[in-house]
Amino acid sequence: MSEPILEVDRLTVRVEDKEILHGIDLAVRAGETHVLMGPNGAGKSTLGYVLMGNPKYQVESGTIWFQGKDVTQEPTDKRAREGMFLSFQEPLEVPGLSLEGFLKNAVRQKNGGKLRVFEFRKELRRDMETLQLDDSYGERSLNVGFSGGEKKKSEILQLMMLKPALAILDETDSGLDVDAVRLVSEGVKEYQRTQEGALLIITHSTRILEALHVDYTHVMVDGRIVATGDGSLVDQINENGYESFLEMTSRGQEV
């Protein structure tokens, strides 16, 4: 079995004086799709931010290994250059920087300053067509005036163009209608097809998962991963909700 792209070892995190994550263990390998689910406030998004190096969160103990390197104390930009990607629940607006210009800069940084403009534009147009984004969006300021669905498509376009080793998708299907979820899923599948990267999908819904193969499902409650299983665990949650996991946590159990 290959070495994990991402390995989290006994990670404990706090914000100011409050401990949010308690001894998280997680290993994600190339080509795998992991899903992190749980009730609101469980700490799912916090884990995504910590993996990406958000300075708001303080790592009290434990280690984050990415592609064989200890990145626990590395800044966000270095993790991004190494091949880690995080999509946001609420994508940022950047006036004055076009979507195409942002992607050019990001691809250059990833490739050590190199960019083949013709190939870049050809791939950009193809990926925008997959997501049903008109070419004109490439010339608009990043996410400025975009609808919620267009912002999520913009995030997935970045995923498709940057081809990171690890993609963390945080509530990507939140607020999307059925057609938008389908298109976003197509973009995620295209990333899976063209890149032997790994996916960590953070969600409390399951709509985006309907078109994707899931290798592992993790359930987080109160900052702890209390259960891990395969894709069938998603169906169990759909049928029964999180009540049994909440009861387990109150008894101090894990499965």
Side-chain angles (χ1 to χ4, degrees):
M1 184 178 291
S2 63
E3 291 296 315
I5 284 180
L6 173 72
E7 190 167 12
V8 180
D9 182 26
R10 305 302 297 168
L11 187 68
T12 298
V13 174
R14 70 171 58 243
V15 176
E16 297 177 350
D17 60 347
K18 184 176 181 181
E19 190 172 290
I20 305 294
L21 301 179
H22 319 286
I24 300 296
D25 290 320
L26 182 66
V28 182
R29 291 174 172 80
E32 292 182 345
T33 296
H34 289 240
V35 175
L36 181 63
M37 303 186 69
N40 289 332
K44 305 184 300 297
S45 293
T46 295
L47 179 59
Y49 293 139
V50 172
L51 293 177
M52 202 66 214
N54 188 319
K56 174 183 175 181
Y57 303 94
Q58 297 122 29
V59 175
E60 288 287 289
S61 61
T63 310
I64 302 170
W65 297 90
F66 181 57
Q67 301 200 102
K69 300 177 183 178
D70 180 354
V71 299
T72 312
Q73 303 301 328
E74 296 290 357
T76 298
D77 61 336
K78 185 169 183 179
R79 300 185 201 202
R81 287 195 299 271
E82 293 287 339
M84 192 182 294
F85 174 93
L86 172 65
S87 73
F88 296 95
Q89 290 188 45
E90 296 292 337
L92 299 175
E93 297 183 0
V94 186
L97 176 62
S98 72
L99 173 57
E100 182 171 338
F102 170 79
L103 285 168
K104 280 182 180 177
N105 290 335
V107 171
R108 278 197 184 100
Q109 288 191 31
K110 179 188 174 187
N111 296 338
K114 298 177 182 178
L115 179 71
R116 295 184 176 181
V117 175
F118 176 78
E119 293 181 4
F120 167 85
R121 287 180 173 162
K122 181 178 179 181
E123 184 175 355
L124 178 62
R125 299 298 176 261
R126 183 179 66 242
D127 290 345
M128 291 179 76
E129 184 177 351
T130 297
L131 295 170
Q132 293 185 16
L133 275 173
D134 189 89
D135 287 353
S136 62
Y137 280 87
E139 302 169 3
R140 293 173 57 178
S141 290
L142 181 61
N143 293 327
V144 176
F146 288 23
S147 69
E150 289 165 348
K151 287 180 179 180
K152 297 298 178 72
K153 290 180 185 179
S154 169
E155 293 271 275
I156 298 304
L157 178 63
Q158 295 166 40
L159 167 69
M160 296 167 73
M161 291 293 295
L162 294 174
K163 302 177 179 61
L166 171 68
I168 306 164
L169 307 184
D170 187 12
E171 303 288 358
T172 298
D173 54 350
S174 176
L176 299 184
D177 61 26
V178 173
D179 289 336
V181 170
R182 177 182 58 78
L183 291 172
V184 165
S185 297
E186 285 299 318
V188 174
K189 285 196 293 184
E190 182 69 11
Y191 161 76
Q192 290 177 310
R193 185 184 69 80
T194 59
Q195 171 71 18
E196 274 299 308
L199 273 171
L200 175 60
I201 301 175
I202 299 170
T203 184
H204 68 272
S205 172
T206 59
R207 293 187 304 161
I208 196 173
L209 306 178
E210 292 174 2
L212 303 175
H213 171 75
V214 174
D215 296 293
Y216 295 96
T217 306
H218 312 277
V219 180
M220 178 177 281
V221 177
D222 292 336
R224 293 180 173 84
I225 294 179
V226 299
T228 293
D230 57 19
S232 65
L233 188 53
V234 174
D235 298 326
Q236 179 183 331
I237 293 168
N238 276 336
E239 291 179 12
N240 304 314
Y242 296 110
E243 185 174 351
S244 61
F245 302 107
L246 293 169
E247 290 175 354
M248 269 193 324
T249 304
S250 68
R251 296 195 298 267
Q253 295 178 335
E254 294 185 11
V255 298

